[in-house]
Amino acid sequence: MHKAVEVSVDAMLADLRSLVEIESPSRDVDALRASAKAVAAVIENRLGGRAVLVESEAGPHVRWSGGGDPKVLLLGHHDTVFPLGTLERRPFRVEDGHATGPGVFDMLGGLVQAVHGLAALDDRSGAEILVTADEEVGSRSSRALIEERALACGAVLVFEGAADGGALKTGRKGCGTFQVVIKGRASHAGLEPAAGVNALVEAAHQVLDIAALARPGIGTTVTPTVASAGTLDNVVPAEATVIVDVRVESADEKERIESAFAALAPHLDEAQVTVTGGIGRPPMPESASAGLFALARRLLPGIEATAVGGGSDGNFTAALGVPTLDGLGAVGGGAHADHEYLVVDTMAERAHLVTGLVKALQEA
């Protein structure tokens, strides 16, 4: 059994470097296998016990348990959005109070803080860690495991990066992606334009119909983001595709939007419209985090909370009715961007918050 140790920023930075310098782009199973082994090594070195690699088609998830009756799940992911080679262009550095490098904020810094916060406890029983390999691409292979362990533990702490200023994330929108494929009929644009069915024109109608589904006043955004159509400049397009990002704050809006996409109908005779996708992450209501946030505020007076538009695996656990608090990870910014950074001076405070939260949940 590993004894409690003082939280050390230098030790956290050393572990963070070890994780950042093993690149872990989503869907690259070989890279994710190396990353999972590195995550497991950090956990075992700091906490003792055995971190198990749970194989999946997306890559290995990492699971560790402190033993005893499960009471709290510390949840994160080790996949990142950055392709192989990013590290060469943007290596891990610590300068001017910031740590930089691919994944420091989203969310390797949060993983390190979680492990070191837990290491500050003599008794780690009841605590579990789950670090998944596919959060950035929808959590399809990990969702069932996340939900199983969340229900078993009864409380979830999510180590995604903090909101602006270090605020915790107490609400998240449900989010998803739809793909709308339009089939038309090709013809010569000069000789026989009327003989064709213009998929691009149909797509234009569909984009306007889709955009009109938004209700920003109640938090529903419906945003066409990617479109493609056509082959040559003298051919009536036979096919077009539109990708749509959707965010909702309520289950009722999720149902309304999914029904509306299912009901999309063509405007042009003989055009065909096919829709796939959906809102894969249900909304995370602020009520799911109320009790845990109150506890966090007692431990760290003055810490703020906010609801955000992005989704995380906390959406799944909150939708099950399991108390869930998100944004406990790194303080910094630039998620998914080249200017991603972590504020070094906040690492110890965030790790101590983990210690306090886990101890309180153990004693509850």
Side-chain angles (χ1 to χ4, degrees), residues 170-262:
T170 50
R172 287 183 177 273
K173 291 185 179 182
C175 52
T177 303
F178 292 85
Q179 178 173 278
V180 181
V181 176
I182 297 100
K183 297 286 189 181
R185 184 171 59 246
S187 66
H188 195 294
L191 297 177
E192 293 185 302
V197 177
N198 195 316
L200 178 55
V201 172
E202 180 61 52
H205 286 293
Q206 294 298 325
V207 165
L208 293 176
D209 290 347
I210 289 165
L213 297 174
R215 290 182 179 172
I218 57 172
T220 301
T221 60
V222 181
T223 310
T225 53
V226 180
S228 61
T231 54
L232 295 170
D233 58 4
N234 62 351
V235 178
V236 171
E239 185 169 324
T241 302
V242 178
I243 308 296
V244 187
D245 178 276
V246 175
R247 314 276 166 152
V248 298
E249 288 187 0
S250 71
D252 287 346
E253 279 296 275
K254 176 182 184 294
E255 183 177 342
R256 180 183 72 85
I257 290 294
E258 290 183 334
S259 295
F261 270 91

